[in-house]
């Protein structure tokens, strides 16, 4: 599999970053490009590096048992972390996801002086995301540099039409919620899910669009919280995990898995007293 240098274009009020994909197995029917689209106001905050596409496509290449060739700049730290990411996935699922060779055309850190200052989290409106949001608001987080400033709400192409209607409804609700709290919610569109359907277990692949979108916004974001779905006593293999997420960080963007030290009941006890969660929680 070859992943080419990303291109940035504006279309229909959005800024889109896309990369052309070439497969060794011509019989496999997959889209020719993988893309992430953001609101147009973030035109100067998207990256044309391959960091986000590397994380997005490594599981696809592994499932297809293809060598991965990356023809564009990739973070040296991320490339090092991808090795541990691969070994962990292989340890969990040795037959389905073997180790593959990855060739980097250009390994380099993000250029100095372009580090972002935003602190973001993936937000889809469930208990875990609401708990992460609550824990990093100014009234609950005394460390200023750890407070959330942005949320990423991801729309994945490939769902049924009724899911798109639900997405539009939730998007409006959460845009209102974040505005009320003085935060900014960024809506992200991507077709990455189409590459994983039927090839990578959905519980293992669900993190790929999140990491890919965050890394594509690296000029904006310096820290990104991934909400835990289980506590440390019940950790299972999955696409986001306290044993995986850190390895996908770069020199300028740090991924942090948050919430594993609290049980689901403890999170619910907190949220039951928070009016915003009472009004907007979606399960």
């Amino acid at each position: 599999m070859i992943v080419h240098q990303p291109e940035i274009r504006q279309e229909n009020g959005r800024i889109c970053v896309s990369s052309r994909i070439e497969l060794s197995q011509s019989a496999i029917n997959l889209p020719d490009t993988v893309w992430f689209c953001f609101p147009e106001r973030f035109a100067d905050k998207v990256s044309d590096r391959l960091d986000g596409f590397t994380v997005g496509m490594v599981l696809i290449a592994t499932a297809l048992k293809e060598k991965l060739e990356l023809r564009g700049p990739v973070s040296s730290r991320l490339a090092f972390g991808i090795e541990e990411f691969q070994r962990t996935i292989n340890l969990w699922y040795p037959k389905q996801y073997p180790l593959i060779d990855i060739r980097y055309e250009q390994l380099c850190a993000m250029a100095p002086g372009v580090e972002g200052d935003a602190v973001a989290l993936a937000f889809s409106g469930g208990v875990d995301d609401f708990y992460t949001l609550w824990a990093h608001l100014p009234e609950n987080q005394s460390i200023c540099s750890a407070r959330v400033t942005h949320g990423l709400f991801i729309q994945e192409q490939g769902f049924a039409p009724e899911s798109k209607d639900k997405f539009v409804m939730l998007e409006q609700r959460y845009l209102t919620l974040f505005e009320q709290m003085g935060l900014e919610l960024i809506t992200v569109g991507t077709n990455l899910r189409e590459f994983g359907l039927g090839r990578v277990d959905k519980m293992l692949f669900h993190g790929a669009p999140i990491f890919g979108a965050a890394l594509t916004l690296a000029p904006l974001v310096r820290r990104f919280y991934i909400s835990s779905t289980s506590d440390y006593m019940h950790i299972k293999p999955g696409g986001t995990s306290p044993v995986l997420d850190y390895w996908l960080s770069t020199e300028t963007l740090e991924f942090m898995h948050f919430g594993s030290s609290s049980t689901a009941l403890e999170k619910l006890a907190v949220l039951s007293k928070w009016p915003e969660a009472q009004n907007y929680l979606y399960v």
Side-chain angles (χ1 to χ4, degrees):
M1 176 187 290
I2 300 174
V3 184
H4 289 269
Q5 170 69 43
E7 297 180 354
I8 300 176
R9 69 185 189 281
Q10 291 181 310
E11 60 175 42
N12 301 322
R14 302 189 301 174
I15 189 76
C16 295
V17 187
S18 63
S19 180
R20 186 165 58 88
I21 307 297
E22 290 185 44
L23 296 177
S24 300
Q25 306 170 56
S26 57
I28 297 177
N29 184 26
L30 283 175
D32 295 329
T33 61
V34 58
W35 48 262
F36 297 94
C37 289
F38 306 86
E40 198 171 40
R41 66 183 182 277
F42 293 100
D44 63 340
K45 298 297 184 183
V46 296
S47 170
D48 63 353
R49 295 168 58 89
L50 270 178
D51 297 331
F53 296 91
T54 300
V55 176
M57 298 308 294
V58 65
L59 279 174
I60 305 300
T62 303
L64 296 176
K65 299 176 177 57
E66 288 201 5
K67 171 176 68 174
L68 182 60
E69 182 177 344
L70 299 155
R71 295 187 178 178
V74 176
S75 158
S76 301
R77 177 177 171 178
L78 175 61
F80 175 78
I82 285 287
E83 294 180 8
E84 188 69 9
F85 178 84
Q86 268 209 93
R87 286 193 289 266
T88 304
I89 298 296
N90 176 254
L91 180 65
W92 287 340
Y93 305 101
K95 294 182 179 179
Q96 300 97 312
Y97 306 105
L99 299 176
I100 61 169
D101 292 329
I102 302 179
R103 179 189 171 198
Y104 299 95
E105 182 181 72
Q106 182 183 359
L107 288 176
C108 61
M110 182 84 72
V114 297
E115 295 89 348
D117 58 5
V119 177
L121 81 159
F123 190 83
S124 58
V127 169
D128 301 307
D129 292 343
F130 260 102
Y131 181 76
T132 300
L133 177 61
W134 174 88
H136 295 94
L137 294 176
E139 57 267 34
N140 304 314
Q141 176 52 257
S142 60
I143 301 173
C144 295
S145 61
R147 295 171 181 169
V148 163
T149 60
H150 292 72
L152 255 62
F153 187 49
I154 299 177
Q155 178 187 22
E156 298 180 60
Q157 184 166 302
F159 283 103
E162 56 269 21
S163 296
K164 184 175 182 180
D165 294 337
K166 182 181 74 173
F167 171 85
V168 173
M169 179 270 292
L170 291 175
E171 178 188 23
Q172 293 305 312
R173 284 172 56 84
Y174 298 142
L175 283 170
T176 300
L177 169 65
F178 272 66
E179 184 178 358
Q180 290 173 351
M181 294 188 294
L183 307 175
E184 187 165 15
L185 185 68
I186 304 172
T187 300
V188 184
T190 180
N191 70 334
L192 187 56
R193 184 176 184 270
E194 295 186 50
F195 288 82
L197 282 174
R199 298 173 184 89
V200 183
D201 182 271
K202 64 180 182 180
M203 293 306 296
L204 191 61
F205 195 67
H206 84 276
I210 297 172
F211 294 114
L215 287 164
T216 306
L217 273 179
L220 173 71
V221 182
R222 63 173 173 81
R223 177 180 292 181
F224 196 94
Y225 296 120
I226 305 291
S227 300
S228 175
T229 58
S230 59
D231 60 69
Y232 284 122
M233 296 298 292
H234 302 91
I235 293 175
K236 299 177 181 178
T240 62
S241 166
V243 302
L244 275 185
D245 298 356
Y246 168 82
W247 293 106
L248 301 180
S249 301
T250 68
E251 296 83 358
T252 61
L253 196 162
E254 179 185 29
F255 286 110
M256 300 186 73
H257 197 91
F258 180 82
S260 292
S261 59
S262 300
T263 66
L265 286 177
E266 288 170 336
K267 292 177 183 179
L268 286 168
V270 168
L271 297 181
S272 68
K273 302 173 184 177
W274 187 30
E276 282 79 359
Q278 296 170 7
N279 294 331
Y280 289 97
L281 183 66
Y282 183 85
V283 179

